Amino acid sequence: MEKSTGGSLTLVGTPIGNLSDVSPRALAALHACDFIAAEDTRVTLTLLNHFDIKKPLISYHEHNKRERGTQICDRLAAGENAVLVSDAGLPAISDPGEDLVRLCHERHIPVTIVPGPCAAVTALALSGMPAGRFTFEGFLSVTKRVRREHLLSLQHETRTMIFYEAPHKLPATLRDMLEAFGDRELALVRELTKLHEEVIRTTLSAAAERFSAEAPRGEFVVIVGGVPQETQKATFTAEQAAALARDYVAEGMSASAAAKTAAAETGVKKSEIYRILVEE
Ligand code: SAM
């Protein structure tokens, strides 16, 4: 790799609730840099004010990452040193940062990291769910079909699955998960490192029922058990395949084409899916 004579980017993990979790190295990096690129400058300003740090802030988020990424890299190449933070937790993990890090690597700009809390692994550690092998799935899409496809693609997953979800979407997500996976072991880990930190060890069916009647409050990590060993050979049910086909029909496909596509994706016979569709 070419040796760079310019500045560098430091990713800094910030607390996911409790400000005392900020590390001495994180504070040192924030003090030492020339400027801070932040997902939301108002959120980061609160953190900086708490620690009496004064630094120029620029926003770097999903909607400006392309042009802002280039601008940041230009400044780094010219010799400045920057820190990248997200609103909370580790940058680049379901948060802006991935593109900027890739761009820096492409331009041979040194990147380093001050690790900090990450809600996903913190929740897993606290959940008591099997942590030997796990998969991080981030947020589910808001598009119904994409969500369903994502969930169905995980139907045979044997590892523990970790999802992020906003509280107002949690009831629907639990229902969709129940439909895709059947009943499973579940841990809802909420308000990590905050006053109301809680691990709700339950099942998908019980949680779906509970939160159809009660509004979830706070931030949640959803941890779902993988396929239990005794049922690892399970396949898609005809009803699950038909539900996928219904989404395709709603998007304008003919019943026949929808049944064919869903059959290819699930392994359920096209004729069986078509029969369910036309019987409706
Ligand atoms: N990059 C962050 C990280 O590494 O932790 C994650 C950012 S993502 C935009 C925000 C999601 O993380 C929330 O919707 C929630 O699912 C989860 N989360 C963040 N802080 C949390 C907390 N204190 N307790 C539980 N979940 C949390």
Side-chain angles (χ1 to χ4, degrees):
M1 192 167 114
E2 244 170 64
K3 183 123 179 72
S4 165
T5 52
S8 66
L9 177 71
T10 304
L11 305 184
V12 171
T14 55
I16 55 173
N18 191 325
L19 289 184
S20 301
D21 289 336
V22 77
S23 72
R25 272 190 80 214
L27 292 179
L30 290 165
H31 271 293
C33 67
D34 295 307
F35 69 96
I36 299 167
E39 180 183 7
D40 183 332
T41 53
R42 291 162 305 179
V43 172
T44 300
L45 194 57
T46 309
L47 180 79
L48 296 183
N49 286 342
H50 183 85
F51 292 104
D52 203 21
I53 297 170
K54 291 180 180 45
K55 283 288 164 184
L57 282 164
I58 64 165
S59 74
Y60 175 81
H61 52 68
E62 193 50 37
H63 306 291
N64 70 3
K65 65 184 181 189
R66 187 171 293 213
E67 68 278 12
R68 202 40 72 80
T70 308
Q71 290 163 9
I72 292 170
C73 282
D74 289 345
R75 288 178 67 174
L76 300 179
E80 289 187 89
N81 293 301
V83 156
L84 175 71
V85 291
S86 59
D87 287 352
L90 267 191
I93 305 301
S94 289
D95 260 339
E98 185 183 330
D99 293 79
L100 185 59
V101 174
R102 193 188 57 243
L103 201 57
C104 285
H105 288 309
E106 280 168 13
R107 292 181 56 170
H108 306 297
I109 293 167
V111 188
T112 185
I113 188 162
V114 177
C118 174
V121 287
T122 307
L124 178 65
L126 191 63
S127 70
M129 298 283 277
R133 295 185 68 195
F134 62 89
T135 154
F136 175 62
E137 300 297 325
F139 289 98
L140 290 170
S141 167
V142 288
T143 311
K144 206 165 181 263
R145 182 177 57 78
V146 179
R147 281 164 77 79
R148 194 191 300 276
E149 280 175 359
H150 185 165
L151 289 172
L152 287 182
S153 76
L154 292 170
Q155 209 185 28
H156 304 293
E157 179 56 68
T158 55
R159 295 169 292 184
T160 300
M161 297 172 279
I162 307 176
F163 298 86
Y164 286 159
E165 191 50 288
H168 65 283
K169 294 190 195 139
L170 186 68
T173 293
L174 293 171
R175 283 196 301 275
D176 289 352
M177 286 176 169
L178 183 61
E179 187 184 314
F181 301 149
D183 209 3
R184 292 279 179 90
E185 204 187 341
L186 178 77
L188 295 172
V189 186
R190 65 181 284 269
E191 294 290 272
L192 280 161
T193 76
K194 303 183 206 175
L195 187 61
H196 298 293
E197 178 180 281
E198 184 184 11
V199 179
I200 305 169
R201 283 295 302 257
T202 179
T203 60
L204 266 177
S205 60
E209 190 178 335
R210 171 174 168 181
F211 290 109
S212 64
E214 171 189 334
R217 293 238 187 111
E219 294 196 279
F220 283 84
V221 178
V222 180
I223 305 188
V224 185
V227 178
Q229 246 173 3
E230 62 277 12
T231 54
Q232 274 181 18
K233 285 204 176 68
T235 50
F236 292 93
T237 65
E239 188 39 57
Q240 285 166 338
L244 184 60
R246 260 179 237 122
D247 289 347
Y248 290 130
V249 170
E251 286 179 13
M253 267 193 199
S254 69
S256 170
K260 187 175 175 189
T261 310
E265 285 180 11
T266 61
V268 175
K269 275 191 181 157
K270 177 192 164 186
S271 55
E272 178 68 357
I273 301 172
Y274 187 76
R275 187 185 57 74
I276 296 176
L277 283 187
V278 295
E279 272 176 6
E280 285 165 357

